Amino acid sequence: MAGLPVYRWRLAPEGLATFRQLRALGLRPAGQPVVAQLERPRRRREPLVAYLYRIDLARPVLPMTPAKRAALAKANAPRRICPQCGRDAGYRIPASLGMCVPCADAPAHAA
């Protein structure tokens, strides 16, 4: 994003916030453009970048409607079924395990 002011980590001026900071305040960017960026230097790697938005232009987060809740439940349903045992785990199965925690913790069967 050329032409944006760049601030060092923790040195952004008052009145600007990252997306996560806006969410913590119960706000959303509401279509406003990015006004600056924040850079956190790292050793031997590219710096971490976060975009900043104006707090005064942010709007409240839209409430979760029953239709949105149903759509999220439908989208997450396949991620809750364990491919090993076929049961609903009650939570989204971690991609790192690839199966529910009880199946991952069970000793391997010697066949």
Side-chain angles (χ1 to χ4, degrees), residues 32-109:
Q32 66 173 293
V34 173
V35 295
Q37 74 181 33
L38 201 57
E39 285 190 353
R40 179 180 175 201
R42 299 189 296 177
R43 294 182 192 164
R44 295 185 289 274
R45 297 195 322 201
E46 300 276 330
L48 290 175
V49 175
Y51 298 114
L52 297 172
Y53 302 93
R54 289 180 43 184
I55 296 174
D56 60 339
L57 296 179
R59 294 188 188 145
V61 174
L62 298 174
M64 181 69 74
T65 65
K68 280 186 186 179
R69 192 173 309 279
L72 279 174
K74 185 177 179 181
N76 285 325
R79 296 183 181 115
R80 295 168 51 115
I81 306 297
C82 176
Q84 192 75 20
C85 64
R87 291 185 295 214
D88 185 347
Y91 52 87
R92 280 186 48 197
I93 294 174
S96 60
L97 295 178
M99 60 186 78
C100 66
V101 174
C103 289
D105 287 343
H109 297 293

